[in-house]
Amino acid sequence: MSLPKISRVPSPPLKKGDLGGFASAYKNPPSPPFRKGGNNNGLRSRQAGFTLLELMVAMLLTALLTLVAYGSLSLSLKVVRRGQAAAERLQELRVGQSILERSLSSAVRGTLGNRVYFVGEPAQLKFFTLVPLEAHTLGGVYHWRVFLGQDESGQGVLAVEQSKNVNWYRDPEGVEVRQIIIHNVAELHFAYGRGAEEVQTWESKRDGGLPDWVKVYLNQDGRHSQVLMIPIQVSESKKTE
């Protein structure tokens, strides 16, 4: 028994530039699908921007740098304020010392009736002087009381009360001018002396005239004490009667 013959069907002729189905598939292969959680998603995320962890680290570093800068600025401002406050205290101390020196150097030798012209105590000082607190005030003799008082906020101050001698004679408690010469005084006391001897009280009738000098022990910040040495130089006796 003979097998049937299989005739070959001729393929259609290829046109110029036509490479067939395999060549076409090889020329334009399909893109592989992206898998969830694969490297392709990570690549796209990195190309798109920063991760949440990177943003948090950047914000933390920025906050730390801001905190350091603020601390340095705050410390610098505190140092500047302390320096300004110290300079203001020193200037006020110099002005107060100058006021006391002018008034005490012009202290009057004499009496007013039966009242003594100079009384010195640890907490206050009373005397007559030719120098008024206010420069525009007319000349004359003035009664001064220098003492440790308090301002409106309760802080200690070195203050001066002044009145004309005649008015003080009529009303020893009357005050015409009151002025603060040194602020923020924590401690204050006076001492008096003649020669090298220092005492805590002085009365002109008992001690035979004015002292040679007055010391003011002053503490403004509670830590550092300062001593103001004020000489009294009176060349001749003057009556205030």
Side-chain angles (χ1 to χ4, degrees):
M1 184 177 176
S2 61
L3 297 174
K5 296 182 178 179
I6 299 175
S7 59
R8 298 180 59 184
V9 179
S11 299
L14 296 176
K15 296 181 180 180
K16 188 178 181 179
D18 189 1
L19 300 179
F22 291 101
S24 177
Y26 177 77
K27 185 177 180 181
N28 298 311
S31 300
F34 290 101
R35 291 179 298 173
K36 185 176 182 180
N39 295 331
N40 294 323
N41 283 337
L43 180 61
R44 285 190 175 184
S45 299
R46 290 182 179 275
Q47 292 177 350
F50 297 102
T51 63
L52 179 60
L53 179 61
E54 291 173 340
L55 289 176
M56 292 180 63
V57 171
M59 292 177 63
L60 178 61
L61 292 177
T62 303
L64 290 177
L65 292 176
T66 303
L67 182 62
V68 172
Y70 175 78
S72 301
L73 179 60
S74 178
L75 181 61
S76 300
L77 292 177
K78 287 181 180 180
V79 172
V80 171
R81 284 195 292 266
R82 288 177 182 175
Q84 291 178 346
E88 291 175 357
R89 286 197 301 267
L90 181 59
Q91 178 65 20
E92 185 183 51
L93 188 64
R94 290 176 177 175
V95 173
Q97 182 176 2
S98 177
I99 292 174
L100 292 178
E101 286 178 348
R102 289 201 313 268
S103 61
L104 286 172
S105 63
S106 300
V108 175
R109 283 181 175 270
T111 60
L112 183 61
N114 295 324
R115 291 177 173 82
V116 295
Y117 54 80
F118 192 100
V119 176
E121 301 174 0
Q124 66 177 355
L125 171 63
K126 300 178 182 179
F127 60 96
F128 291 107
T129 181
L130 299 175
V131 178
L133 271 173
E134 300 174 345
H136 60 81
T137 306
L138 298 178
V141 179
Y142 302 89
H143 177 267
W144 274 38
R145 175 177 175 248
V146 185
F147 63 100
L148 175 62
Q150 291 185 343
D151 59 10
E152 296 179 354
S153 62
Q155 295 291 329
V157 295
L158 179 59
V160 176
E161 293 179 348
Q162 172 187 289
S163 59
K164 287 282 275 186
N165 60 339
V166 176
N167 298 332
W168 179 83
Y169 177 74
R170 296 171 181 172
D171 182 12
E173 301 300 327
V175 177
E176 297 175 356
V177 179
R178 181 181 289 109
Q179 180 176 325
I180 297 174
I181 58 177
I182 299 179
H183 292 80
N184 299 322
V185 178
E187 297 178 5
L188 172 74
H189 74 272
F190 299 97
Y192 315 90
R194 179 170 290 165
E197 181 183 2
E198 179 175 325
V199 295
Q200 299 300 312
T201 61
W202 192 277
E203 184 182 307
S204 59
K205 285 187 176 181
R206 180 194 67 195
D207 298 310
L210 297 175
D212 293 339
W213 47 264
V214 175
K215 281 185 180 180
V216 183
Y217 294 88
L218 183 67
N219 190 321
Q220 284 188 281
D221 55 11
R223 293 176 299 175
H224 304 290
S225 297
Q226 301 182 15
V227 180
L228 307 181
M229 181 71 172
I230 303 173
I232 299 179
Q233 300 174 355
V234 181
S235 59
E236 60 184 46
S237 177
K238 300 177 183 179
K239 293 290 185 179
T240 61
E241 294 178 340

